[in-house]
Structures are given as C-alpha cells and as structure tokens.
C-alpha cells in the first residue's frame, strides 16, 4: 500500500476488488462527533461550574468572606484570589498545554491521546472531589486542566477527518453552540448539585458527576475511534492526498535528506508556557498585592517572550525540524484573524460568566440553585440561536452571521446595563428581575448565532498536516482569552466593588464591567471583517480538463476520502487504475 492510499485521515486498507463499491469511509462520523462533544461538554462544564460553586467551596474550605481575615493574602488558598485561581488556574494550565497536546496527537495518534486525556481528566476529577483543603484543590484543578489539554485538541482534528468537506459546516455548526451552551449550563448544573447536597457531598458532587461522564467517554472512544496506522506518525499525522506530488515532502517544510518524523518541541513548550505565565499570573494576583512593580514587569516581559517563541518556531521550520506551531498557519489571514476574534470573544464571554454568577450570589444574595436557574434563559437562548444560526449561515454566510450574532449579544448586554441603571432597588424581584431574565435571553440568542459558524469559517483553510497545530492553537487562544477575561474583568469587578462595601457597590461595579464587555464585543465584531464571507467558496463548474488532477469529482484539489489518490497523477500515478481505499474505521 502506498502512502497516498493511506492519506484520507481514516484507517484505510486496500480495496482488493475494484468492481465492488467500497463502504462509506465517513459512515461513523456522527458517532465520532458524539464522542468528541461528550468530552467537550465535560471540559466546559468543569471550566464554568466553579462560577456558581466557588462561594460555597470558599465557605467550606476557608470560611465565609470577610471572616477571620479570610479575604486577605495573596496565595491561591486565601481571599478572592482563591476564587480566581479555581477558575483561572484551570484555564491557564489548560491553555498552556493545548498546543503541546495537539502536537502529541500528531506524534502518537489522536485516538491514543484522546483516551489518555479522558482517563487523566476523570482521575483528576475524583481527586478534586476528595481534596482536603484549598491549596490541594487548586493543584488538582491545575492538573485537571493539563489532562484536558491532552484531551480536547484531538477533537477538532477528529471531526475534520471524520466528515467530508461538504458536511463539515453541519458538524462545526453543532460543535460551536454546544460549547456555548455548556459554558452557560455549567452554572445551572452547579446550582442544582450544590443545593441538592446529594449524599451529603455538597459542592464535591460537581466533580463526582464527571466520573460517569468520563467513563462513558472512554468507552465510546475505545469503540468508535480506530487505532492509527504507522502512516499517522509521519509529519502532520497523514500524507496529503491531492495536496502534494507523490513522494514529495510537505511544501517547504524539509530539505532533501532530513528526517520527516515528528518530534516534540520541548524548548518551544517551555518558551510558550513561560510567556503565558508572565502574562496571566500578574493579572490574577496583581490586585490582591496592590499591583506591585513586578506585576507590571512580568506583563511587559511577556511581549518579548512571545516574540522569542515565535522566532524560535521559525528557526525550527527553516532547519527542517518540528515546531510546536506550524508557521504556515500564522501566514493564513483567515486563521490568524480567527485566533484574534476567538481570544477577544472568549475573554468577554468567560469573564462575564464568572462576574454575573458572583453578582447573583454575593450581590443579590441568591442561593446557588436560584443563581443557576436565573441564568437558564441564557442557556435556552443559546440553543435557539444555534438552531437559527445553522439555518441562516447557509443563506447569509458565516461572517455576516458572526457579526450579526455579536451585535445581538451586545444588545443583550445593553439591555442588562439599562436594567441595572433604571432599577430603583435590587433586581432580585418584580419587573427588574423579569427584565434581567429577558436580557439574558437576548444574550444567549446572540451567543448561539455568533458561535454557530465560527469553527467552520476559521478551520476551512487548514491543511491536513496543520490540523494538530491548528486545533491546539485555536483552542489555546480561546482559553488564554478566557483566562485573561476572568482575571481582568474579575480584577476590575472586585476593585470597583470595594471589599468592605460589597453589598452597596455590586450594582455599580457590574455596570462598569458591562461597559468593558461592550468594548470587547465591538472589537471582536470589527476583527470579524478580516474573515471571508463564507467558510468555503462555491465549487467551480467542471471542465473537460479536470481529469488531469486525478479526481472524479470535478473539483480541483478536493481532498475527500472518496478521491483516494487525488492529485497523484501529476507524479506519474495513474489515478484511474488505483482503486479507492476502503475505510476500516471512522477516523485516524
């Protein structure tokens, strides 16, 4: 079997009977999507569930806010820093490990890394549930984030390989809204579990609930995801059918005679981790310590640190070695613009999720259950927006829907701002409370619409050999944005609230944060115009000469599992004589 015959992204075997129609190589695609989405839901619920459960955890492990000096100190086991580290510690570890996790999938196979990550995530969930104190809980949360960083970046690559190009829009159309819905449902689930106090476990049930979900994800992945072939360990995970001539190295990546096997860029991993820590750590701890000089110095040093990382990646690429991030990705305007949009959008989304949850509990005095149920219109609106977005995207194009959805989301923020401004008293009952619920509904619709086309439009231009880097980098940008949003908006919220006068100042503090949120949404919408109008161009009409590229689809360069040896005729391979490969499993 040639390398080209193993190049569709699935585990393939040679079809020995040309006269027999091969099975659909994408027949397991919906099962693969279900397994990936299950892992995404588990991760996102755990990332956002702390927003509601955080005050209960702090009261149990540290003591009530303001009692016995619990609110003082700078470490992760004290004060409001504990709440921030429960969320930001997980998110930071997750973000730092995502790019490396994506690369590990390229090297060792996405199935193996998916199973490893799912097992590690489930184990860390158990340890979080039995954590005896605040410091140990933060440590286990950080380790849980690292396990998630191995698990999650495999998902986008698995989906992209499992679905033919014409079906990717539908797959990613479900992927994005499920992420948004999970982010909103996390606080609701936390409120229900904390209030129910099942078996006397209290807040610990928010981690124990991951055990059956994690085991189910492991079983599903073991049954559905195939074992990789040896071809999956070469550079990029697969050879590129239709993208390169037979026997050629990837474009510009290696010179003749160099080893084409992937290796993990340990130096790049350290440089990227240090760069992220220099940026996010002072954002989380700076306010607690009165913004000392070293906090500003660390943030300033993150700029040259990121520059050094980028230069080192270019050097590896020029010398034919394996960079942590494929430089060709950053040369694509669609992908880099998508990174910026995702970073800013998720900074606002995750920051607002935390702040709103804290406001409902500490500002309005809601129980965890009522705080979670108050956000249910947000979740319902996200589902409605996702359904509408899937329909509207095909008609108006992904970019218009992305910008329009962001505008609707901003309208929800404005409605919430007006509600807080005109209300004569607390918005915990009566007409102000109804206006609050309506504002959250509009927020959800906007979020569902804007996230529906996001992943499809950003990943459509990614080549197969870039999938690992793209998955890790795109998800890392979102998580870094989330960490920055939680840290920055959380810092601003608590600073404006004045710790000794929290009850009187919460409304004014939330209004200030909402103005910042509007600024982030406006910036994300403006950057969205750098993206193409649609995820992929309309297919060109077939011409008489299209058979010279070795496909039978009439679309030049189309790389689907059914073309098998697309593009190999330019290297002297007779595509017509080469049978289409048979898929023995859904995806590599």
């Amino acid at each position: 079997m040639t390398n080209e015959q193993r190049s569709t992204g699935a585990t393939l075997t040679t079809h020995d009977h040309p006269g027999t129609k091969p099975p659909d190589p994408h027949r397991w695609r919906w099962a693969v999507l279900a397994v990936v989405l299950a892992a995404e839901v588990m991760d996102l619920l755990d990332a956002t569930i702390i927003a509601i459960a955080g005050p209960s955890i702090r009261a149990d492990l540290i003591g009530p806010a303001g009692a016995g000096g619990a609110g003082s100190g700078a470490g992760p086991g004290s004060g409001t820093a504990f709440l921030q580290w429960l969320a930001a510690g997980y998110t930071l570890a997750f973000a730092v490990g995502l790019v490396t996790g994506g690369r590990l999938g390229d090297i060792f196979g996405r199935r193996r890394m998916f199973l490893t990550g799912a097992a590690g995530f489930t184990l860390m969930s158990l340890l979080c549930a039995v954590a005896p104190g605040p410091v140990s809980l933060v440590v286990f949360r950080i380790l849980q984030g690292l396990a998630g960083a191995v698990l999650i970046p495999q998902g986008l690559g698995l989906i992209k390989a499992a679905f033919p190009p014409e079906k990717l829009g539908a797959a990613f159309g479900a992927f994005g809204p499920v992420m948004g819905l999970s982010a909103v449902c996390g606080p609701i689930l936390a409120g229900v579990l904390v209030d129910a106090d099942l078996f006397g476990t209290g807040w610990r049930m928010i981690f124990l609930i991951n055990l059956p979900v994690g085991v189910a994800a492991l079983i599903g992945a073991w049954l559905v995801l195939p074992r990789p072939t040896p071809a999956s360990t070469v550079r990029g995970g697969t050879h590129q059918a239709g993208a390169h001539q037979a026997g050629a190295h990837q474009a510009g990546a290696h010179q003749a005679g160099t080893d084409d096997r992937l290796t993990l860029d340990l130096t790049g991993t350290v440089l990227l981790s240090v760069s992220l820590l220099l940026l996010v750590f002072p954002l989380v701890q700076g306010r607690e310590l009165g913004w000392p000089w070293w906090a500003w110095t660390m943030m300033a040093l993150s700029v040259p640190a990121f520059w050094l990382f980028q230069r080192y990646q270019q050097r590896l690429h020029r010398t034919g070695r394996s960079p942590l991030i494929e430089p060709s990705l950053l040369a694509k305007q669609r992908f880099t613009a998508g990174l910026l949009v995702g970073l800013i959008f998720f900074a606002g989304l995750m920051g607002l999720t935390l702040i709103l949850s804290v406001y409902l509990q500490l500002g309005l005095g809601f129980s965890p259950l009522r705080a979670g149920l108050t956000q249910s219109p947000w979740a319902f609106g996200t589902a409605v927006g996702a359904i509408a977005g899937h329909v509207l995207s095909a008609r108006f194009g992904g970019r218009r829907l992305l910008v329009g959805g962001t505008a609707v989301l901003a309208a929800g923020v404005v409605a919430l701002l007006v509600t807080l401004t005109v209300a004569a008293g607390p918005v915990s009952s009566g007409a102000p409370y109804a206006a609050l619920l309506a504002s959250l509904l509009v927020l959800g619709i906007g979020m569902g619409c804007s996230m529906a086309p996001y992943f499809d439009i950003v990943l459509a231009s990614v080549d197969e050999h870039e999938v690992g880097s793209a998955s890790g980098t795109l998800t890392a940008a979102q998580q870094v944005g989330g960490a920055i949003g939680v840290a920055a908006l959380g810092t601003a919220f608590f600073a404006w609230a004045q710790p000794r006068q929290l009850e009187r100042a919460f409304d004014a503090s939330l209004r200030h944060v909402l103005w910042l949120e509007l600024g982030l949404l406006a910036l994300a919408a403006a950057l969205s115009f750098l993206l193409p109008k649609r995820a992929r161009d309309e297919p060109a009409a077939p011409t008489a000469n299209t058979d010279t590229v070795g496909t039978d689809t009439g679309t030049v360069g189309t790389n689907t599992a059914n073309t098998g040896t697309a593009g190999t005729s330019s290297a002297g391979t007779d595509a017509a004589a080469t049978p289409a490969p048979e898929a023995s499993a859904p995806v590599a």
Side-chain angles (χ1 to χ4, degrees):
M1 183 187 306
T2 67
N3 287 333
E4 288 72 28
Q5 288 173 308
R6 293 193 295 254
S7 63
T8 63
T11 306
L12 303 177
T13 58
T14 304
H15 194 275
D16 298 325
H17 304 286
T20 303
K21 182 179 179 181
D24 181 8
H26 302 294
R27 65 190 183 277
W28 295 104
R29 59 185 180 271
W30 296 111
V32 172
L33 179 63
V35 170
V36 170
L37 289 180
E40 289 284 345
V41 168
M42 183 170 63
D43 163 68
L44 283 166
L45 287 177
D46 246 48
T48 58
I49 210 166
I50 291 300
I52 286 288
S56 298
I57 298 174
R58 183 177 65 177
D60 182 33
L61 298 182
I62 297 178
S72 62
S78 60
T80 55
F82 174 60
L83 286 179
Q84 289 181 297
W85 273 108
L86 275 180
Y90 174 92
T91 307
L92 177 59
F94 188 46
V96 167
L98 275 168
V99 178
T100 302
R103 212 48 163 166
L104 289 174
D106 287 337
I107 298 171
F108 298 108
R110 295 182 186 123
R111 177 183 187 272
R112 180 182 298 176
M113 289 298 99
F114 190 96
L115 289 169
T116 301
F121 194 95
T122 305
L123 176 60
M124 288 304 111
S125 297
L126 175 61
L127 293 178
C128 285
V130 299
V135 175
S136 60
L137 177 57
V138 170
V139 170
F140 291 143
R141 282 281 290 171
I142 291 173
L143 294 176
Q144 188 184 43
L146 291 175
V150 176
L151 169 67
I152 297 304
Q154 318 310 329
L156 293 177
L158 291 169
I159 292 175
K160 189 172 175 65
F163 285 77
E166 65 273 11
K167 298 293 185 180
L168 276 175
F172 286 129
F175 191 84
V178 164
M179 290 182 63
L181 192 61
S182 299
V184 178
C185 286
I188 300 175
L189 179 62
V192 172
L193 293 177
V194 171
D195 191 75
D197 191 20
L198 299 175
F199 309 109
T201 56
W203 59 265
R204 299 179 189 274
M205 183 56 68
I206 69 173
F207 297 110
L208 291 173
I209 197 67
N210 283 337
L211 300 185
V213 178
V215 170
L218 280 168
I219 295 174
W222 184 268
L223 295 175
V224 175
L225 305 183
R227 300 179 187 277
T229 63
S232 67
T233 60
V234 299
R235 181 172 180 82
T238 55
H239 290 274
Q240 307 305 304
H244 305 283
Q245 294 183 348
H249 291 292
Q250 294 184 14
H254 295 282
Q255 298 177 4
T258 59
D259 187 3
D260 203 34
R261 299 184 70 86
L262 278 174
T263 57
L264 181 61
D265 176 18
L266 295 177
T267 302
T269 300
V270 172
L271 286 174
L272 181 60
S273 301
V274 170
S275 302
L276 291 169
L277 286 171
L278 285 172
L279 175 63
V280 178
F281 182 83
L283 286 173
V284 174
Q285 292 282 259
R287 191 193 67 83
E288 287 287 321
L289 300 178
W291 292 107
W293 64 268
W294 58 259
W296 298 103
T297 302
M298 287 181 66
M299 288 188 286
L301 288 175
S302 69
V303 176
F306 279 116
W307 177 84
L308 182 62
F309 168 75
Q310 187 262 347
R311 295 285 292 178
Y312 181 72
Q313 296 301 286
Q314 291 181 338
R315 178 185 175 187
L316 290 183
H317 184 67
R318 287 196 303 268
T319 58
R321 289 179 288 173
S322 303
L324 193 62
I325 299 177
E326 290 286 350
S328 57
L329 277 175
L330 303 182
K332 297 179 177 179
Q333 176 178 309
R334 173 185 298 197
F335 187 78
T336 53
L339 286 180
L340 291 175
V341 171
L343 188 147
I344 295 168
F345 184 87
F346 278 85
L349 173 63
M350 300 304 293
L352 182 61
T353 300
L354 171 67
I355 297 308
L356 185 61
S357 298
V358 172
Y359 169 76
L360 292 175
Q361 291 184 84
L362 300 184
L364 299 182
F366 286 1
S367 67
L369 177 59
R370 188 180 178 189
L373 293 178
T374 297
Q375 297 182 69
S376 57
W378 193 346
F380 178 74
T382 301
V384 172
I387 296 172
H390 180 65
V391 176
L392 296 175
S393 180
R395 180 176 180 181
F396 297 105
R399 189 178 71 186
R400 287 183 179 178
L401 186 60
L402 184 60
V403 175
T406 304
V408 174
L409 203 163
V413 174
V414 170
L416 184 56
L417 186 60
V418 171
T419 299
L420 292 171
T421 302
V422 302
V427 295
S428 56
S429 61
Y433 184 67
L436 171 66
L437 298 180
S439 302
L440 294 178
L441 177 64
V442 176
L443 271 172
I445 293 174
M447 188 173 73
C449 285
S450 58
M451 292 191 69
Y454 173 73
F455 289 97
D456 189 31
I457 199 170
V458 174
L459 292 175
S461 64
V462 173
D463 296 326
E464 190 66 28
H465 73 282
E466 300 168 330
V467 166
S469 288
S471 299
T473 305
L474 181 62
T475 313
Q478 298 161 21
Q479 295 303 317
V480 170
I484 294 173
V486 167
L489 296 185
T491 297
F493 180 79
F494 285 112
W496 277 317
Q498 297 297 322
R500 294 183 180 180
Q501 300 176 352
L502 287 178
E503 292 80 4
R504 296 196 301 268
F506 263 129
D507 283 4
S509 181
L510 181 57
R511 288 197 296 269
H512 282 94
V513 170
L514 291 177
W515 280 111
L516 294 177
E517 179 74 16
L518 286 174
L520 291 173
L521 292 176
L523 183 56
L527 290 173
S528 297
F529 284 97
L530 296 176
L531 297 171
K533 293 182 178 180
R534 296 183 179 273
R536 49 190 59 82
D537 296 331
E538 296 294 332
T543 66
N545 294 325
T546 55
D547 59 345
T548 61
V549 296
T551 70
D552 58 0
T553 64
T555 302
V556 177
T558 300
N559 180 20
T560 68
N562 291 330
T563 58
T565 56
T568 59
S569 60
S570 60
T573 302
D574 185 0
T578 305
E582 176 181 348
S584 61
V587 62

